[in-house]
Amino acid sequence: MSDLIIVESPSKIHTVKRTLGKGYNVVACVGHVRDLPKSKLGVDIEHGFEPTYVDIKGKENIIKDIKKLAKSSDHVYFATDPDREGEAISWHLATILGLDLNDKNRITFNEITKTGVEAGIAAPRCIDMNTVNAQQARRILDRIVGYKLSPFLWKKVRRGLSAGRVQSVAVRMIVDREEEIKSFVPVESWSIDAKLLTSASKKAFLAKLATVDDKKAELKTKADADAILQRLDGADFVVSSVRNGQRSKAPAAPFSTSTLLQDASQRLNFNSRRTMSIAQELYEGIDIEGIGAVGLITYMRTDSLRISDEAKNAASEFISKTYGEEYLPSKPRVYKSKDNIQDAHEAIRPTMIDLTPEKAKASLTTDQFKLYRLIWSRFLASQMADCVLNTTNAAIAAEGCVFKASGFSVKFDGFTALYEESKEDSEQSSILPSLAKGDALKVASLDGVQHFTQPPARYTEATLIKAFKEYGIARPSTYAATITTILQRSYVERDARQLKPTSLGEVTTQLMKEHFKDIVDVKFTAEMETSLDKIELGQVEWRDTMDSFYKGFDKALKDAEQSLEGKRVKIPDEATDQVCEICGKPMVIKLGKYGKFLACTGFPECTNTKKIVTETPGKCPYCGKKVLQKKTQKGKKYFGCEDNPTCGFMTWDTPTAEICPNCSSTLFKKGGAKGKLICYKKDCGYEKDLG
């Protein structure tokens, strides 16, 4: 006889088993084993929203094996993931096995390491039914919204659509932002830039007009700017004040889920789904050369910024040993979460500080290495000393006008020795020449610069996740899934890295705003998330929350059905400059079951349709025809000859407009900014490094 430990992922089995040794049997349930039925609502609304759960199709053998192993075990421990979903999976398993819910059979691993596993097995507890009920409430809410609202959209817009409690709000945010951009009216303004020289310097520095006759400079038109330029023509520029000082920059906090997704997007160009998938691999365990199978990071679905004392001490020792005592802060850093409701976990951090990214690199895939390096560097930097900057601020007077110039240099690099700021946040070092009050300056140039206010930027995955966090409309476990869903459902599409609503997304959102305003209301959705948090804390009863929501939702649904009786909403087609080669009429872009396609506006007389192809500047190195941008079934971009499959040329590398100097064939870009250009013409072999 032995004790049985049930984990979620098979990749954890080896690490947990190796850590605990003999006397333990470890098996994986591979996620949820029970759920609401797919074929019906599965919720008895009339009797307290009682759910009906069924075994998930395909999990029969897993359930059978777990039952068999449980019968021959002394004790059963549930070691599913340490979050709401994991708690619910443990409850479902306990129910299937007929175990007493008062037994202390629930264990959690914040990290899949020897320390984390031993700490978990040493502290078993009862399954937390408040957490289970919070998960049940979320699942039932989403089922009711999806099961009742989706058919409404099928009837009124198009079959196959779906609505969701969080996804519909996300689409609305993207649609609203697009409307702001379209309605934006730019406002003109002007500034005056002076490039000035001291008597001892050859390089000019920049100063900007700040005040005119002791009032803030506000130049609205070119005439305003020209008047100032005329006033300053031939004027003496004299330094009126110089202030030297110091400024400290503190490191960013270690990663939570939202900041990890944002940084991975900005730095690594990873989408949220890719980031979470790689983070899951790092958490569950990887076979590291010389160490064995071990989890490299703590649990990756967390709002918390808390760090254990053990991890802080390990970081301090590593920093002191590697960088020196001066790189340690005067006192240990403490980062506080904005919202401590879900503070059960630590922030995302490496489990072993001494396992540097370079040491682990040989055992990791390229993506795993990049993400591990990001997490490791961010955490270690968060425990380091401030970066200290020497600053200089100067005021320069000329004919009643005051120009301001500022600069800084790094006095002590601190945490930036390890973790540089991202491109969006970084500051370029700007050192002013030696200046003293009364110094006369020479004018190298004096220019009026026109500006226009800019519309708000479209959301990217990074900024949308940041907004989710700020508004409180989602939780770490749903960030990536929500974005993936709205893209897959064609409510939103990517335009480079930006998220742009489709005509389907705009039409559906307008319909939802008119008839289901609560479902797409940011504040309402945030309040619902808060209610789920309160259920988890045992402050409210989950059935009461369901009842309060359903009354308003049911009325809205009935009113919408009545209001739109016999009506159907048309999705507008997207105009193009292409002409039908059969009848000569314009072609438009339509959205079908399998995505966008070109269709003739002469339908039904003309039924011509075509795939949408994206041409590139390249020519096929095999046959000389056009190279087209294409997508795999999983949506990954690649390039191929327009004459495929007759011509077999295909590549992941991007065609460029550059021509091979040897054979005049198209050069293809391989790798990133420091990659290379390659010629694929047979027997040519030309390559050019870009780094």
Side-chain angles (χ1 to χ4, degrees):
M1 298 288 282
S2 61
D3 290 343
L4 177 66
I5 297 178
I6 305 174
V7 296
E8 277 190 52
S9 172
S11 61
K12 296 179 186 176
I13 292 175
H14 180 59
T15 308
V16 175
K17 207 167 186 176
R18 183 171 60 87
T19 298
L20 297 177
K22 293 180 180 180
Y24 290 93
N25 198 359
V26 186
V27 66
C29 65
V30 195
H32 279 276
V33 291
R34 293 201 310 171
D35 196 6
L36 298 171
K38 286 189 174 182
S39 58
K40 57 183 180 180
L41 180 62
V43 179
D44 190 345
I45 293 170
E46 303 299 324
H47 297 89
F49 300 91
E50 189 64 29
T52 298
Y53 294 111
V54 297
D55 295 346
I56 294 173
K57 191 175 181 180
K59 292 293 185 76
E60 298 89 354
N61 289 336
I62 291 174
I63 293 171
K64 184 179 176 182
D65 291 342
I66 288 174
K67 283 182 175 179
K68 185 177 178 181
L69 289 167
K71 279 185 180 179
S72 60
S73 300
D74 289 325
H75 297 95
V76 178
Y77 293 103
F78 304 108
T80 50
D81 285 353
D83 57 14
R84 282 181 193 164
E85 297 300 316
E87 204 72 18
I89 293 170
S90 290
W91 173 69
H92 282 297
L93 287 166
T95 304
I96 288 172
L97 298 175
L99 300 181
D100 188 345
L101 294 178
N102 292 316
D103 286 348
K104 291 186 176 182
N105 52 19
R106 174 72 167 122
I107 56 176
T108 56
F109 305 140
N110 186 50
E111 56 187 66
I112 311 300
T113 61
K114 189 174 188 298
T115 301
V117 171
E118 287 178 347
I121 200 73
R125 58 172 173 79
C126 298
I127 291 172
D128 186 339
M129 286 307 300
N130 288 331
T131 302
V132 172
N133 287 335
Q135 189 276 341
Q136 283 200 100
R138 183 205 61 77
R139 183 70 187 96
I140 294 168
L141 272 171
D142 291 346
R143 168 53 65 97
I144 289 173
V145 171
Y147 197 87
K148 288 186 172 286
L149 196 48
S150 295
F152 173 80
L153 295 178
W154 298 354
K155 288 188 288 184
K156 302 305 174 187
V157 185
R158 197 190 75 193
R159 286 196 64 80
L161 297 183
S162 72
R165 189 178 52 84
V166 177
Q167 77 174 53
S168 296
V169 176
V171 176
R172 187 216 171 132
M173 291 168 65
I174 294 167
V175 169
D176 285 353
R177 178 60 59 87
E178 195 71 14
E179 289 175 356
E180 286 182 62
I181 294 169
K182 288 176 181 177
S183 62
F184 182 81
V185 178
V187 177
E188 182 184 15
S189 65
W190 286 73
S191 63
I192 305 292
D193 289 355
K195 288 186 178 178
L196 305 170
L197 291 159
T198 66
S199 58
S201 68
K202 294 181 180 179
K203 185 178 179 181
F205 66 92
L206 179 67
K208 290 181 173 290
L209 179 66
T211 64
V212 177
D213 297 328
D214 297 324
K215 294 179 181 178
K216 184 180 177 181
E218 293 183 349
L219 311 179
K220 296 180 180 180
T221 65
K222 185 176 187 299
D224 293 342
D226 287 344
I228 298 296
L229 290 172
Q230 187 175 0
R231 174 174 173 174
L232 292 170
D233 187 26
D236 294 329
F237 281 70
V238 179
V239 177
S240 56
S241 68
V242 179
R243 188 174 73 254
N244 294 310
Q246 283 189 357
R247 179 164 63 91
S248 294
K249 286 173 61 180
F255 284 130
S256 63
T257 304
S258 63
T259 53
L260 173 64
L261 292 173
Q262 291 168 53
D263 228 35
S265 174
Q266 292 166 353
R267 291 170 178 267
L268 307 178
N269 202 23
F270 285 3
N271 64 39
S272 54
R273 188 177 186 180
R274 182 179 177 186
T275 299
M276 290 307 288
S277 176
I278 301 163
Q280 185 90 33
E281 293 166 1
L282 295 174
Y283 164 71
E284 289 179 349
I286 291 171
D287 201 344
I288 300 297
E289 187 178 342
I291 296 176
V294 64
L296 298 192
I297 64 171
T298 53
Y299 194 56
M300 64 287 159
R301 294 185 180 95
T302 176
D303 281 325
S304 176
L305 299 180
R306 182 174 56 81
I307 294 295
S308 70
D309 290 340
E310 181 184 2
K312 286 180 185 176
N313 293 336
S316 293
E317 287 180 20
F318 184 90
I319 293 165
S320 178
K321 180 175 63 178
T322 308
Y323 295 94
E325 290 286 332
E326 66 272 25
Y327 283 85
L328 289 173
S330 56
K331 59 181 180 179
R333 295 191 184 275
V334 177
Y335 297 95
K336 291 185 178 180
S337 307
K338 289 183 180 179
D339 183 352
N340 289 321
I341 287 178
Q342 295 191 30
D343 198 32
H345 311 303
E346 291 187 57
I348 304 169
R349 63 166 176 82
T351 58
M352 297 172 287
I353 289 297
D354 287 334
L355 183 62
T356 65
E358 290 303 323
K359 286 181 182 177
K361 187 174 184 178
S363 304
L364 304 176
T365 66
T366 301
D367 281 358
Q368 288 170 347
F369 169 72
K370 287 179 179 177
L371 195 64
Y372 180 62
R373 180 174 59 186
L374 189 64
I375 293 168
W376 186 90
S377 301
R378 171 81 166 228
F379 168 69
L380 204 63
S382 75
Q383 304 303 306
M384 294 176 75
D386 289 355
C387 170
V388 181
L389 306 172
N390 287 326
T391 62
T392 302
N393 291 280
I396 298 107
E399 284 294 323
C401 300
V402 175
F403 287 75
K404 295 288 180 72
S406 62
F408 69 89
S409 60
V410 177
K411 181 182 180 183
F412 175 64
D413 55 4
F415 72 93
T416 62
L418 173 64
Y419 184 84
E420 293 183 9
E421 299 285 353
S422 64
K423 290 179 182 177
E424 292 186 8
D425 300 327
S426 62
E427 297 178 77
Q428 297 298 317
S429 180
S430 170
I431 303 173
L432 293 180
S434 177
L435 297 171
K437 185 176 180 179
D439 283 353
L441 302 174
K442 182 181 178 182
V443 178
S445 65
L446 194 61
D447 300 300
V449 182
Q450 186 182 35
H451 306 276
F452 288 97
T453 52
Q454 297 297 309
R458 282 179 180 151
Y459 284 109
T460 62
E461 286 202 22
T463 57
L464 186 62
I465 288 166
K466 185 178 181 181
F468 285 168
K469 176 69 176 174
E470 288 175 352
Y471 295 142
I473 63 169
R475 290 294 177 260
S477 59
T478 63
Y479 294 147
T482 298
I483 293 174
T484 299
T485 298
I486 63 178
L487 286 164
Q488 288 178 341
R489 300 290 185 186
S490 296
Y491 291 126
V492 173
E493 61 187 5
R494 284 195 179 93
D495 183 0
R497 294 177 67 178
Q498 297 178 331
L499 298 175
K500 176 185 176 183
T502 62
S503 54
L504 175 64
E506 291 174 335
V507 164
T508 307
T509 296
Q510 185 58 38
L511 185 68
M512 297 282 285
K513 285 163 74 172
E514 289 174 4
H515 299 283
F516 302 95
K517 62 180 182 179
D518 282 349
I519 296 296
V520 290
D521 182 74
V522 169
K523 186 177 179 183
F524 179 84
T525 305
E527 288 171 352
M528 186 56 66
E529 290 292 344
T530 300
S531 295
L532 294 176
D533 291 339
K534 289 179 178 178
I535 293 169
E536 185 168 348
L537 292 170
Q539 295 174 352
V540 297
E541 216 283 324
W542 74 273
R543 295 177 197 271
D544 293 340
T545 300
M546 293 300 309
D547 187 59
S548 176
F549 167 81
Y550 188 73
K551 285 176 181 175
F553 175 73
D554 187 50
K555 183 180 185 305
L557 185 60
K558 288 174 180 175
D559 290 346
E561 291 276 12
Q562 185 177 355
S563 174
L564 293 172
E565 180 68 35
K567 298 177 183 177
R568 193 170 179 85
V569 180
K570 188 179 185 306
I571 304 168
D573 298 325
E574 188 178 333
T576 74
D577 57 2
Q578 294 199 42
V579 175
C580 176
E581 65 272 22
I582 295 175
C583 71
K585 290 187 177 180
M587 299 198 81
V588 293
I589 296 174
K590 287 182 175 287
L591 188 61
K593 185 178 180 181
Y594 300 104
K596 291 184 174 182
F597 64 95
L598 283 169
C600 180
T601 54
F603 182 85
E605 289 79 15
C606 180
T607 57
N608 184 27
T609 61
K610 294 193 296 185
K611 288 183 178 179
I612 296 174
V613 296
T614 303
E615 295 185 5
T616 72
K619 300 293 183 184
C620 176
Y622 292 2
C623 68
K625 292 186 178 180
K626 294 176 182 177
V627 176
L628 305 179
Q629 179 181 308
K630 304 184 178 186
K631 284 187 178 180
T632 66
Q633 287 185 336
K634 292 186 176 180
K636 189 173 181 182
K637 184 170 67 176
Y638 73 99
F639 302 92
C641 178
E642 67 174 334
D643 201 23
N644 278 341
T646 303
C647 175
F649 177 73
M650 289 184 290
T651 180
W652 299 113
D653 303 330
T654 306
T656 72
E658 292 198 43
I659 301 300
C660 175
N662 293 345
C663 68
S664 299
S665 186
T666 292
L667 292 177
F668 290 76
K669 183 181 177 184
K670 186 180 186 69
K674 294 185 178 180
K676 55 186 175 180
L677 294 175
I678 298 175
C679 179
Y680 283 116
K681 192 79 168 180
K682 189 178 180 182
D683 300 327
C684 178
Y686 175 79
E687 293 186 3
K688 174 186 173 184
D689 288 331
L690 296 172

